Amino acid sequence: KYMLRAGMLDKAEETCAFFTREGQPAVENLNEMQCMWFLTESARTYYSSKNWSKALQKCHEVEKHFVDIVEDQFDFHPYSMRKMTLRAYIGLLRLEDSI
């Protein structure tokens, strides 16, 4: 995180690669795992270096993750009723009410 804030994007990606799957680029793996802190810090780094297109791309990826989360919640409602996990379903509804 601090490497990204210091503008060391390549070094930060190399460091993150230690914690991701081998054989796949670290950035792709972090994106697939919906690692939004990396994407937002990358976007800030690109923005501060005036690389507008890359910054916008990273922001769009973060927005897509939130869209996926909302869609997953809509899929959870019929699943919960079908599998009769009423406790988990009520827990989700209470969480949504508090947000």
Side-chain angles (χ1 to χ4, degrees):
K1 185 175 191 174
Y2 295 104
M3 288 180 187
L4 290 170
R5 289 182 181 175
M8 299 186 292
L9 189 62
D10 294 332
K11 183 77 172 157
E13 289 177 7
E14 288 176 24
T15 304
C16 284
F18 292 124
F19 303 99
T20 59
R21 268 187 261 151
E22 290 184 40
Q24 187 178 11
V27 176
E28 284 181 22
N29 198 344
L30 290 169
N31 192 16
E32 179 183 318
M33 292 188 302
Q34 295 181 340
C35 185
M36 288 185 262
W37 71 265
F38 186 81
L39 292 172
T40 55
E41 291 296 331
S42 297
R44 287 182 181 146
T45 301
Y46 284 126
Y47 181 80
S48 63
S49 65
K50 298 192 184 339
N51 191 342
W52 313 120
S53 62
K54 284 281 195 180
L56 186 61
Q57 178 185 6
K58 296 297 179 188
C59 290
H60 179 68
E61 290 173 7
V62 170
E63 192 252 346
K64 185 182 178 311
H65 290 321
F66 280 107
V67 169
D68 290 342
I69 289 169
V70 169
E71 288 175 0
D72 289 345
Q73 287 179 354
F74 281 122
D75 291 340
F76 182 75
H77 293 286
Y79 170 80
S80 294
M81 298 311 290
R82 188 174 70 244
K83 295 293 184 178
M84 299 305 279
T85 54
L86 195 56
R87 175 178 280 170
Y89 182 68
I90 290 172
L92 174 71
L93 292 176
R94 288 186 178 144
L95 172 72
E96 288 176 344
D97 286 343
S98 67
I99 295 177

